[in-house]
Amino acid sequence: MMRRRRGVTILELLIVVVILGVIVTVLARLFVATRVSYELSEQVAEERQNVESAAQILKYDLGLGGYRGIDNGAEGRSFTCTFEFTDGAGTDPDQIKAWYYEDRFVSPSPELKAVEFFLTGTNLMRDENGTATEVVSNVADLQFIAWHKKNLGPAVTGDYITYSTPNSTNADEFVGYQLQLTFVGGEVEVVSVALPNPQEIAGTC
């Protein structure tokens, strides 16, 4: 005697549908979590790149303050001053300016450049000889926080790093400084600028 083949019951179909629904829900949540994690990682990487770009540009341009070039005419070039710092009113951002001779891709002789960094809104701007361009965005503050002396002095006094701005009376001791960049997201980057070139500091340049 042949047995009749039993069909799939409605209850079994419902169980299969529920199981499939649970699997789809779990996979969807996993996909969303992975996507959010990826976007967050991408945002963090982009912000870090923003920080690094700003730091490198500041170090390069400002570190050239006082550079005269290495050609035969270098000794004959002079500056009114090589560095100028403008303290922002109250808690406003500071402005930093440096003068140097650019000898790359310049013919027939190096060109004097005046490069200034300042904030416009949340944009870090770079002004070169009167023409300003945006360097990076999402910068909340720029502060001059310390300057470095040639005289190391006793380590206990902290004489090497002075948390005040240099002036014309101590210019011969001025060999570098630190800037602090604060970004909109809250990240803080301290940029150390070394100055191997002779510095001439004046109140007005």
Side-chain angles (χ1 to χ4, degrees), residues 114-163:
V115 178
E116 182 177 12
F117 290 92
F118 57 93
L119 290 188
T120 297
T122 58
N123 297 323
L124 177 63
M125 307 297 291
R126 176 185 182 273
D127 185 296
E128 179 184 318
N129 293 345
T131 302
T133 56
E134 179 186 326
V135 176
V136 291
S137 58
N138 296 322
V139 181
D141 196 16
L142 169 65
Q143 294 292 328
F144 185 110
I145 59 173
W147 62 281
H148 297 255
K149 291 181 174 183
K150 290 179 186 176
N151 178 23
L152 294 178
V156 293
T157 65
D159 194 37
Y160 180 54
I161 299 179
T162 304
Y163 289 88

Side-chain angles (χ1 to χ4, degrees), residues 6-20:
R6 187 172 64 87
V8 179
T9 66
I10 294 177
L11 180 60
E12 289 172 333
L13 281 175
L14 288 174
I15 292 172
V16 170
V17 169
V18 169
I19 292 172
L20 287 175

Side-chain angles (χ1 to χ4, degrees), residues 32-44:
V32 170
T34 303
R35 181 66 183 174
V36 169
S37 177
Y38 171 77
E39 289 177 352
L40 183 60
S41 298
E42 197 174 48
Q43 182 181 351
V44 169

Side-chain angles (χ1 to χ4, degrees), residues 21-37:
V22 170
I23 292 172
V24 169
T25 301
V26 170
L27 289 176
R29 288 181 178 176
L30 181 62
F31 173 79
V32 170
T34 303
R35 181 66 183 174
V36 169
S37 177

Side-chain angles (χ1 to χ4, degrees), residues 38-53:
Y38 171 77
E39 289 177 352
L40 183 60
S41 298
E42 197 174 48
Q43 182 181 351
V44 169
E46 186 177 337
E47 288 176 357
R48 189 64 230 172
Q49 185 177 4
N50 208 34
V51 171
E52 291 295 335
S53 297

Side-chain angles (χ1 to χ4, degrees), residues 21-203:
V22 170
I23 292 172
V24 169
T25 301
V26 170
L27 289 176
R29 288 181 178 176
L30 181 62
F31 173 79
V32 170
T34 303
R35 181 66 183 174
V36 169
S37 177
Y38 171 77
E39 289 177 352
L40 183 60
S41 298
E42 197 174 48
Q43 182 181 351
V44 169
E46 186 177 337
E47 288 176 357
R48 189 64 230 172
Q49 185 177 4
N50 208 34
V51 171
E52 291 295 335
S53 297
Q56 291 304 318
I57 291 170
L58 286 168
K59 284 181 182 179
Y60 175 78
D61 265 329
L62 297 176
L64 283 173
Y67 178 69
R68 291 172 167 81
I70 56 173
D71 60 322
N72 292 333
E75 290 186 4
R77 299 187 186 106
S78 61
F79 299 91
T80 301
C81 67
T82 59
F83 166 86
E84 185 178 38
F85 158 76
T86 304
D87 192 4
T91 58
D92 289 347
D94 298 336
Q95 297 179 27
I96 315 293
K97 194 170 185 177
W99 285 259
Y100 63 88
Y101 282 90
E102 175 63 82
D103 57 1
R104 301 176 310 158
F105 321 115
V106 178
S107 180
S109 61
E111 174 190 359
L112 178 62
K113 283 192 175 181
V115 178
E116 182 177 12
F117 290 92
F118 57 93
L119 290 188
T120 297
T122 58
N123 297 323
L124 177 63
M125 307 297 291
R126 176 185 182 273
D127 185 296
E128 179 184 318
N129 293 345
T131 302
T133 56
E134 179 186 326
V135 176
V136 291
S137 58
N138 296 322
V139 181
D141 196 16
L142 169 65
Q143 294 292 328
F144 185 110
I145 59 173
W147 62 281
H148 297 255
K149 291 181 174 183
K150 290 179 186 176
N151 178 23
L152 294 178
V156 293
T157 65
D159 194 37
Y160 180 54
I161 299 179
T162 304
Y163 289 88
S164 60
T165 57
N167 54 57
S168 57
T169 60
N170 54 38
D172 60 328
E173 299 179 345
F174 185 54
V175 294
Y177 54 96
Q178 290 179 322
L179 303 175
Q180 180 173 290
L181 283 169
T182 304
F183 290 80
V184 172
E187 185 167 0
V188 174
E189 181 82 0
V190 174
V191 180
S192 294
V193 180
L195 295 167
N197 309 296
Q199 300 300 304
E200 297 175 17
I201 303 169

